[in-house]
Amino acid sequence: MGQLNVTKIVTTGDVEVGADLKVNSDLGSVMQGFPCRGWCNISGDSSPAAVIRASGNVSSITDNGTGDYTVTFTNALPDNSYAFTMCRGRGGTQDGGVIQYSTKSTTQLRCRSWKENFTGIDDSEVCFMVFR
């Protein structure tokens, strides 16, 4: 198979790679890239419910109660063997913090944000990121 060397690719549509995506970010090596499959930044303390500020491959957020959120993906993931992270912020306020998940499927992820004493908390900023 040949090799195409270009400086920049500009497209107005989707780009599909038929094999592993290799990335060189000038860090000294070319490695397989693992793109984020979905992400969102929500306002967890909005009233009456959580509000999505920005997102990718997330169609909705459900506020199930204090600090309890369900993220619904726009496009389903290939399986539920993905990794995810959730981070939370309260404008600099420190209170320990525990993150727990209860539902993890190809279409949804349900997580809870707790204080260190295991009481739910609606944080001003909650972010979810999913990788597979």
Side-chain angles (χ1 to χ4, degrees), residues 3-114:
Q3 180 173 329
L4 174 65
N5 294 313
V6 296
T7 304
K8 183 177 184 180
I9 297 175
V10 178
T11 180
T12 57
D14 294 339
V15 174
E16 185 174 324
V17 177
D20 290 339
L21 177 65
K22 305 287 183 171
V23 179
N24 180 353
S25 298
D26 291 329
L27 299 174
S29 63
V30 176
M31 304 220 22
Q32 183 177 353
F34 299 97
C36 183
R37 294 288 186 117
W39 64 274
C40 66
N41 177 322
I42 69 168
S43 172
D45 60 356
S46 297
S47 182
V51 174
I52 297 175
R53 290 188 179 112
S55 67
N57 195 32
V58 171
S59 61
S60 66
I61 185 88
T62 303
D63 191 335
N64 304 303
T66 305
D68 185 350
Y69 313 102
T70 298
V71 176
T72 301
F73 304 118
T74 304
N75 299 299
L77 301 175
D79 55 44
N80 64 355
S81 295
Y82 54 86
F84 75 91
T85 186
M86 173 183 163
C87 59
R88 50 188 283 269
R90 298 185 51 221
T93 302
Q94 301 292 322
D95 63 9
V98 177
I99 297 166
Q100 172 199 29
Y101 81 91
S102 60
T103 301
K104 183 180 168 194
S105 73
T106 60
T107 58
Q108 291 186 324
L109 173 64
R110 182 173 180 179
C111 292
R112 293 180 176 94
S113 178
W114 304 95

